[in-house]
């Protein structure tokens, strides 16, 4: 069993983060966005934020389960 962990995100995490985020755009009213975010757009957003603030991911058994 691999212990879940919180770690610093990398731009390689952008596809998994977009996959977690996009259902909130398409299937709920939680987000003000109306179109799913591409992997490239998510990476660009991450890069901008990571210039000044940490971007974290929660990973368990090799799967990204959450982000902040």
């Amino acid at each position: 069993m691999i212990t879940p962990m919180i770690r610093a995100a990398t731009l390689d995490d952008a596809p998994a983060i977009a996959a977690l985020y996009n259902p909130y755009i398409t299937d709920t009213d939680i987000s003000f966005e109306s179109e799913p975010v591409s992997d490239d757009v998510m990476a660009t957003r991450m890069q901008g934020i990571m210039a000044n603030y940490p971007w974290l991911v929660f990973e368990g058994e090799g799967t990204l389960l959450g982000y902040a």
Side-chain angles (χ1 to χ4, degrees):
M1 178 176 164
I2 300 172
T3 304
M5 69 175 180
I6 296 172
R7 62 170 175 78
T10 69
L11 296 180
D12 291 336
D13 295 314
I17 291 172
L20 287 172
Y21 178 55
N22 283 333
Y24 290 98
I25 296 171
T26 59
D27 302 335
T28 74
D29 295 326
I30 292 172
S31 173
F32 290 109
E33 297 192 72
S34 58
E35 298 295 322
V37 177
S38 71
D39 298 348
D40 291 336
V41 167
M42 184 58 74
T44 299
R45 290 180 183 184
M46 291 173 65
Q47 192 169 29
I49 292 169
M50 290 164 56
N52 297 301
Y53 302 101
W55 190 293
L56 305 173
V57 293
F58 175 68
E59 190 174 57
E61 300 201 16
T63 301
L64 196 136
L65 302 171
Y67 64 92

